[in-house]
Amino acid sequence: MTSKPRLQIIIASTRPGRVGLPVAQWLYDRAVAHGGFEVEIVDLAEINLPFMDEPNHPRLRQYTHQHTKDWSAKVDAADAFVFVMPEYNYGFTAPLKNAIDYLHHEWQYKPVGFVSYGGVSAGTRAVQMVKQVVTTLKMVPVSQAVSIPFVQQFIGEEGEVQANETMETAARAMLDELQRWTAALEPLRERELAAA
Ligand SMILES: Cc1cc2nc3c(=O)[nH]c(=O)nc-3n(C[C@H](O)[C@H](O)[C@H](O)COP(=O)(O)O)c2cc1C
């Protein structure tokens, strides 16, 4: 790989006033400072996919809608992901599941890290649930994660994240691990591309 690998930070919550946006902006700054990636925020509220409306299984890549072709190109361009995700009713969000289900090959052999948040559980139940889904798509979830309990305590008056040292350390560890897995999985991604 000649240039830096591309990391997409996917915001899994779409509701007005979501905490997901400032959490993603905080992580974006940390990822840029880390230096190992080209970093991009991918906001599912902006992507605005309808509920899955493709007639064919995504593994066929026979997409009929422009929104799917655009989403496919976006995810194809990534080498690694971070899901910034809240916990809704002990699970992960419906927009994230919908966005995942739209595609297949585009996710494969790419690592994914998690920044989760919520109440006492810090979103960890949602992370455990999404791991079952991403491994089905041959993604590699990294165990180093940022888990933010009672997330509102870390939101300042301007709506910005005021992280503690535990969060900062966890973010660095997650990004380091993502960098390792991104490099380790590159040959598998290239083999997939060659076979496509
Ligand atoms: C529909 C819904 C369900 C929720 N369920 C949980 C939950 O199961 N566990 C939890 O810790 N917090 C739960 N919460 C609280 C969220 O963690 C908190 O509102 C958080 O800010 C949501 O993320 P967002 O602001 O990015 O949407 C829930 C919030 C909503 C809106």
Side-chain angles (χ1 to χ4, degrees):
M1 195 178 291
T2 47
S3 53
K4 288 184 190 176
R6 283 150 300 186
L7 174 69
Q8 289 182 355
I9 298 171
I10 296 185
I11 307 178
S13 65
T14 55
R15 68 178 189 92
R18 64 222 155 113
V19 168
L21 190 57
V23 174
Q25 283 160 345
W26 167 75
L27 199 265
Y28 175 87
D29 291 343
R30 298 312 177 271
V32 170
H34 177 270
F37 301 94
E38 294 293 331
V39 192
E40 179 189 8
I41 289 182
V42 175
D43 185 351
L44 292 185
E46 274 176 29
I47 300 286
N48 200 21
L49 288 165
F51 273 134
M52 169 59 161
D53 61 355
E54 286 291 339
N56 304 307
H57 193 292
R59 85 173 106 78
L60 301 174
R61 276 191 191 255
Q62 289 169 1
Y63 302 133
T64 61
H65 297 292
Q66 191 58 44
H67 56 251
T68 316
K69 292 172 188 170
D70 292 345
W71 181 229
S72 168
K74 172 71 75 184
V75 174
D76 242 350
D79 298 297
F81 304 94
V82 172
F83 292 171
V84 170
M85 48 185 290
E87 181 173 290
Y88 283 1
N89 298 315
Y90 285 28
F92 64 98
T93 63
L96 179 60
K97 182 66 162 62
N98 190 49
I100 292 171
D101 288 343
Y102 257 98
L103 308 177
H104 186 86
H105 297 282
E106 296 88 337
W107 300 112
Q108 287 188 348
Y109 305 121
K110 298 178 183 178
V112 54
F114 306 99
V115 175
S116 69
Y117 53 91
V120 68
S121 72
T124 51
R125 292 173 291 221
V127 170
Q128 287 308 107
M129 190 182 271
V130 82
K131 281 179 179 173
Q132 180 181 342
V133 175
V134 297
T135 51
T136 305
L137 288 160
K138 301 185 186 171
M139 298 175 83
V140 176
V142 304
S143 53
Q144 282 78 358
V146 184
S147 312
I148 310 173
F150 300 110
V151 64
Q152 282 298 338
Q153 69 181 311
F154 299 106
I155 305 297
E157 281 180 10
E158 306 293 317
E160 81 290 3
V161 167
Q162 297 182 340
N164 63 14
E165 198 44 46
T166 304
M167 290 162 61
E168 300 288 358
T169 305
R172 282 193 296 272
M174 180 188 65
L175 291 162
D176 284 346
E177 188 70 354
L178 270 176
Q179 194 176 17
R180 280 188 208 104
W181 275 104
T182 305
L185 292 170
E186 191 189 350
L188 286 175
R189 288 197 301 281
E190 285 185 348
R191 204 175 306 164
E192 273 292 293
L193 271 180

